[in-house]
């Protein structure tokens, strides 16, 4: 594969392949040099693509390939059973394409646990990487982005893994977001040295000693959006709880706002006015542009889209995967981990 | 002490004793049967009280007592040093009043770590209680309240402690909020049985087996405000991160909203209109009324106010402490823990 090729699991997610195909059409127009392989129910995908893509030019259409699969990983399937019994699922085949060198990366909106398990089995961790990590960008109050990891690939972590997450997160922020010296912080229950579990305190020592990370110290949950750090590190249990708690808070405020304004025509008019006026100021908070969590530390690019992503959001996930594949993020992470390991051994 | 007596650390918190005295004056008027002992710099407190309380009636004034102390626990003091060297601090003396039977409970807005350490040392855990827990009420989308614990008293917990948190949280919800059968859930990174760390899965087994808890299963961070559970249990590290992450999210949205509306006179007018119209609908979200985290599982009532609480918010913390003392919450928790232990031993 000379050209950059992306495998896309077209059957994952709650909203089905029509979302994926709509995002793909946008991607074909935005990335003229990228090839795409869609895995899934080929007749259905072909029909969808023919109908939705009729305005595409012939060279754009020619960059799409299909790989028929007979199975689908359901959202509530157990990862262990997917590994054994769903070897012809759209998700598995998409990952296999990366493992077999036919694609540089994969995007899926399917079952997160299954995706992590299959990717780990088929792509393997990079040499020296203890555990892959799930990382996502979140908006910060400075108008930029910060990266939070791990978001759930590793429920519990030792301090060496947390240290490596800081290293891998730094490489991601440098390579993909042009932050020359990403500030790395550990998520903790206080900013004082004595606070928190031993494993977090030990990770602080490792990060502080390394010349490969610009370690800033501890931050608290209240600083998640402050932009005080570019890379924020915690174990997968903590990261999952933190991010989902914020989602819950945001949804509650939004729903309540919407509901409480319905009562009065003037309220509704005001909201319309505010929306038009504020749209631009709030666009940096648009969840669509933050869709796409990357599983890093593996020998290949793996991007997880939110299960109920819109076509725009799924397109963001495709963009992430292309950026990671184009900069060969796995090789960059491999290089840095090797440097870190050689520093530790001297 | 026949009458209900509350000790108040008047020097804790970021905003000084004037907040405490203002809250106290409201409490004297609201709770005609409660006595208060203020610990701190007596001349300063007397002067403040004389000035601010001049409209109080004589019997109201007579229910305030002062206990002079020469030291103050600072917000950045280490708990271990407070234990050893700040034995005449307003915080320590207020807790001592409870330990020595002169007060039924204590309220402080001071250093959380020091408050937990001193309270644990002086008041001791109830018989059978493995670890005290810090618990707070949070608003839910049903318009009610849910309780989250632990919020930071115990960075890491074994499954037995998590189980006891569920028991203690149930008693709190029953005694103070008239919820006959509080629904208890464990905070986890997924709702399926196979998800999460072993310690959480083991706690699920213990909660499911007990006849003293209405266990509902796992909930995710996104359900923190859904009202799907009345009592939500996790270790102190997780609870601290979850709650502070939500604070961070709420502050970001609020600040951004405020800032982006400043630009246009019509926006400002609209906000004024919306505020007037929505005030009642949003009052259930008012952070003041949720001020006051309780340290439960000890032989006495301990309520922690937010460090930068307003007088209204500090009043809420006083209200919590009075309600807990009036229902003798420590005795209720003791009874339940004893029942649970006897069930386990038979």
């Amino acid at each position: 594969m000379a050209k950059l090729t992306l495998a896309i699991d077209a059957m994952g997610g709650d909203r089905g392949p029509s979302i994926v195909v709509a995002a793909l059409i946008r991607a074909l127009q935005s990335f003229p040099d990228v090839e795409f392989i869609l895995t899934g129910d080929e007749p259905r995908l072909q029909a969808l693509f023919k109908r939705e893509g009729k305005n595409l030019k012939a060279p754009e259409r020619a960059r799409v390939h299909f790989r028929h699969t007979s199975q689908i990983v359901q959202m509530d399937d157990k990862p262990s059973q997917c590994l054994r019994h769903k070897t012809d699922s759209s998700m598995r085949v998409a990952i296999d394409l990366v493992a077999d060198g036919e694609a540089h990366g994969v995007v899926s909106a399917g079952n997160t646990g299954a995706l992590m398990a299959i990717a780990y089995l088929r792509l393997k961790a990079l040499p020296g990487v203890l555990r892959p990590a799930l990382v996502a960008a979140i908006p910060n109050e400075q108008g930029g982005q910060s990266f939070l990891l791990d978001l759930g690939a590793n429920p519990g972590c030792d301090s060496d893994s947390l240290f490596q997450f800081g290293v891998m997160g730094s490489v991601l922020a440098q390579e993909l977001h042009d932050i020359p010296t990403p500030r790395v912080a550990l998520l903790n229950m206080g900013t004082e040295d004595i606070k928190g579990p031993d494993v977090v305190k030990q990770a602080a020592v490792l990060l502080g000693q390394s010349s490969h990370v610009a370690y800033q110290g501890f931050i608290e949950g209240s600083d998640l959006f402050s932009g005080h750090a570019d890379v924020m590190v915690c174990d997968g249990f903590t990261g999952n709880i933190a991010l989902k708690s914020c989602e819950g808070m945001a949804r509650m405020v939004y729903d309540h706002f919407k509901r409480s304004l319905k009562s009065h025509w003037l309220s509704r008019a005001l909201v319309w006015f505010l929306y038009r006026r504020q749209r631009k100021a709030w666009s940096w908070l648009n969840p669509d542009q933050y869709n796409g969590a990357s599983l890093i530390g593996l020998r290949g690019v793996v991007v997880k889209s939110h299960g109920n992503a819109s076509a725009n959001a799924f397109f963001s996930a495709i963009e992430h995967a292309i950026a990671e594949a184009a900069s060969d993020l796995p090789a960059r992470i491999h290089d840095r981990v090797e440097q870190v390991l050689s520093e530790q051994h001297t």
Side-chain angles (χ1 to χ4, degrees), chain A:
Chain A
M1 55 176 176
K3 270 191 169 177
L4 204 151
T5 303
L6 208 62
I8 298 182
D9 167 12
M11 310 305 283
D14 308 324
R15 294 165 74 172
S18 61
I19 294 297
V20 175
V21 169
L24 170 77
I25 287 167
R26 218 181 125 189
L28 284 166
Q29 295 167 321
S30 306
F31 299 99
D33 294 323
V34 180
E35 305 263 328
F36 298 91
I37 309 175
L38 261 64
T39 61
D41 180 346
E42 183 167 355
R44 189 171 162 202
L45 294 174
Q46 288 270 21
L48 258 172
F49 184 68
K50 195 170 270 178
R51 199 175 65 219
E52 303 297 326
K54 54 178 176 284
N55 294 327
L56 289 173
K57 295 171 198 139
E60 286 168 348
R61 263 198 296 268
R63 283 186 284 114
V64 179
H65 314 279
F66 298 87
R67 190 70 57 102
H68 182 73
T69 62
S70 60
Q71 293 175 306
I72 297 176
V73 169
Q74 304 295 339
M75 285 313 219
D76 54 356
D77 278 347
K78 288 191 180 172
S80 55
Q81 292 184 323
C82 294
L83 282 175
R84 253 172 286 144
H85 304 299
K86 296 222 166 162
T87 51
D88 196 42
S89 63
S90 57
M91 181 187 283
R92 171 62 177 264
V93 172
I95 294 172
D96 283 346
L97 287 168
V98 183
D100 300 342
E102 293 185 58
H104 296 88
V106 57
V107 180
S108 173
N111 182 324
T112 311
L115 184 70
M116 292 191 302
I118 298 172
Y120 191 48
L121 175 86
R122 289 293 290 128
L123 300 182
K124 303 269 188 289
L126 287 164
V129 168
L130 296 167
R131 299 283 309 163
L134 198 60
V135 55
I138 59 176
N140 66 44
E141 289 166 36
Q142 323 283 337
Q145 304 192 348
S146 302
F147 299 90
L148 180 63
L149 71 169
D150 174 39
L151 297 176
N154 313 281
C157 293
D158 60 16
S159 51
D160 288 320
S161 295
L162 291 175
F163 167 64
Q164 285 201 349
F165 294 170
V167 174
M168 296 196 294
S170 284
V171 179
L172 181 82
Q174 281 173 332
E175 293 294 326
L176 299 184
H177 296 268
D178 299 323
I179 303 171
T181 314
R183 298 157 302 159
V184 176
L186 280 163
L187 191 57
N188 199 351
M189 57 190 291
T191 54
E192 304 89 352
D193 290 347
I194 53 155
K195 284 282 175 72
D198 288 341
V199 65
V200 177
K201 286 187 266 191
Q202 285 153 11
V205 173
L206 294 173
L207 285 165
Q209 285 169 346
S210 174
S211 63
H212 295 280
V213 180
Y215 178 60
Q216 305 289 300
F218 296 142
I219 54 165
E220 297 186 86
S222 49
D223 269 327
L224 224 47
F225 303 94
S226 68
H228 290 168
D230 302 303
V231 177
M232 303 180 289
V233 174
C234 58
D235 68 49
F237 184 77
T238 306
N240 183 285
I241 300 277
L243 206 62
K244 288 200 180 148
S245 297
C246 293
E247 270 178 41
M249 164 60 94
R251 196 189 54 223
M252 174 179 70
V253 170
Y254 178 75
D255 286 352
H256 193 74
F257 191 64
K258 231 173 50 176
R259 218 174 25 239
S260 68
L261 287 174
K262 272 196 182 149
S263 46
H264 194 284
W265 69 267
L266 188 51
S267 301
R268 285 197 299 274
L270 295 184
V271 168
W272 178 81
F273 171 85
L274 287 176
Y275 174 74
R276 280 185 54 100
R277 233 193 115 59
Q278 302 299 327
R279 193 163 33 173
K280 217 172 155 184
W282 284 87
S283 65
W284 65 280
L285 260 178
N286 178 1
D288 277 7
Q289 68 172 306
Y290 296 99
N291 186 46
S294 304
L295 193 61
I296 59 173
L298 297 175
R299 300 168 196 249
V301 169
V302 181
V303 173
K304 166 73 177 77
S305 161
H306 204 289
N308 62 10
S310 64
N312 281 340
F314 198 91
F315 174 75
S316 289
I318 293 177
E319 268 188 311
H320 283 309
I322 290 174
E324 291 184 16
S327 77
D328 202 353
L329 187 67
R332 300 287 81 73
I333 290 177
H334 176 220
D335 293 349
R336 187 73 67 86
V337 169
E338 225 166 36
Q339 289 167 21
V340 167
L341 290 175
S342 72
E343 183 186 76
Q344 285 177 332
H345 292 148
T346 52

